[in-house]
Amino acid sequence: MTLYTSTVVTPRRRPGVWARVGQSTVYAIGLPLLLLVVWGVWSSASPQIFFPDPIVIVQAFVKTWIGPAFVVDVLPSLGRLALAIVLAVVLGVAAGMIIGLTRWLRELLEPTLEFFRAIPPPTLIPVFILLMGISDTMKVSVIVAGAIWPVLLNTIEGVRATDAIMTETARSFALTRAERIRYLVLPAASPRIMAGVRQTLSIALIMMVISEMFNTSSGLGYRIVYFQRNYLIAEMWSGILLLGLVGVLLAVIFGFAERRVLRWYHGIKEVESA
């Protein structure tokens, strides 16, 4: 006589919303707090002129940036950064769509794109200065020239990777070219486009700082170099801290936008992983 035993599988309980929020918060601020504690202990045990105490840096941050410098240096830099990011994304997506959808144009431009992508953008700053002079237009152009490549190349690859069966289905339903781009190509390429935008944000921030280090008298990059040349070490670190906060702000804004744009994509991933 054979006995059959059944095993009852209890579903694994998922943590609640507040538990997940608390866990994410600990992960987000745990390492920075640990690094600050280590920095503070190290700077107190062996004072270094080039690595001041975190409290000194915070005091310099408040003294330097909470005031006229915010209007004179920070706001113009952020304005140029925002404009350059918008231009890089719009131009990169538009040009990437055209190149990705046109085979002969893609084959014609591919060597040229690879050539210009290999040129480090900071080396083009003297050229932009000669052509445009020292102006906001030059700084925005420098940022766009360096930041457009991730969006452009990812858009091209995303368009090329559009499912061939879906494309033929769209044609069989007599969709116009504009409808195919809107309802098929753009959604299919959007994950890669957003990956390119993520890279563009970091490159744009770097290029903003570099563009303001050459023959300028305002901006975050200029101010940090000014502090460094005058041995205002705490103020220099406060500028670096401000750049880090700007990067965090860009990451938060991008995360919100990505969840909105790729809501359908993350939903599919959650269903597949369930």
Side-chain angles (χ1 to χ4, degrees):
M1 178 173 167
T2 305
L3 297 178
Y4 294 93
T5 59
S6 60
T7 303
V8 178
V9 179
T10 304
R12 186 177 180 181
R13 294 185 60 186
R14 294 185 177 182
V17 176
W18 291 108
R20 292 198 299 268
V21 172
Q23 188 178 23
S24 300
T25 304
V26 170
Y27 287 157
I29 68 176
L31 182 58
L33 286 178
L34 178 61
L35 293 176
L36 286 176
V37 170
V38 172
W39 187 322
V41 172
W42 178 53
S43 61
S44 300
S46 56
Q48 299 284 336
I49 185 174
F50 298 113
F51 297 94
D53 189 91
I55 297 177
V56 177
I57 296 176
V58 172
Q59 292 173 347
F61 182 91
V62 174
K63 180 181 177 181
T64 304
W65 304 111
I66 308 301
F70 185 80
V71 178
V72 175
D73 295 311
V74 179
L75 287 182
S77 294
L78 295 181
R80 289 189 291 266
L81 176 64
L83 177 60
I85 290 174
V86 172
L87 289 175
V89 172
V90 172
L91 295 177
V93 171
M97 293 290 295
I98 295 173
I99 298 172
L101 290 171
T102 311
R103 182 175 179 179
W104 66 268
L105 183 61
R106 183 172 64 248
E107 294 176 351
L108 176 66
L109 294 180
E110 186 173 2
T112 304
L113 293 177
E114 292 296 331
F115 173 80
F116 282 105
R117 187 184 66 165
I119 299 176
T123 61
L124 297 176
I125 293 180
V127 178
F128 281 100
I129 292 177
L130 289 175
L131 295 176
M132 303 178 183
I134 302 172
S135 61
D136 289 346
T137 303
M138 181 274 295
K139 297 174 184 177
V140 172
S141 300
V142 168
I143 300 173
V144 173
I148 194 174
W149 296 105
V151 178
L152 175 63
L153 298 178
N154 276 272
T155 302
I156 294 174
E157 292 302 319
V159 171
R160 290 181 60 186
T162 303
D163 188 82
I165 297 178
M166 296 295 293
T167 302
E168 293 299 326
T169 303
R171 289 175 179 171
S172 66
F173 278 97
L175 295 181
T176 64
R177 188 177 184 86
E179 289 174 338
R180 290 201 304 268
I181 292 174
R182 179 179 178 183
Y183 297 110
L184 175 61
V185 178
L186 266 179
S190 57
R192 294 202 180 191
I193 293 175
M194 295 305 293
V197 172
R198 181 188 294 274
Q199 299 175 28
T200 289
L201 294 179
S202 59
I203 295 175
L205 184 60
I206 295 171
M207 294 306 301
M208 180 201 74
V209 177
I210 295 176
S211 67
E212 295 173 349
M213 290 181 173
F214 291 85
N215 300 321
T216 59
S217 58
S218 64
L220 274 171
Y222 161 78
R223 192 60 60 183
I224 292 174
V225 171
Y226 173 83
F227 291 147
Q228 179 263 331
R229 290 174 179 173
N230 291 274
Y231 291 93
L232 300 172
I233 305 302
E235 287 77 6
M236 179 192 72
W237 280 108
S238 72
I240 297 174
L241 174 62
L242 180 57
L243 286 175
L245 294 176
V246 172
V248 172
L249 177 62
L250 290 176
V252 171
I253 295 174
F254 172 80
F256 176 78
E258 183 188 35
R259 286 193 297 270
R260 299 277 296 184
V261 173
L262 300 181
R263 184 186 305 171
W264 62 272
Y265 179 76
H266 295 303
I268 293 174
K269 291 298 182 181
E270 290 179 1
V271 171
E272 292 178 349
S273 61

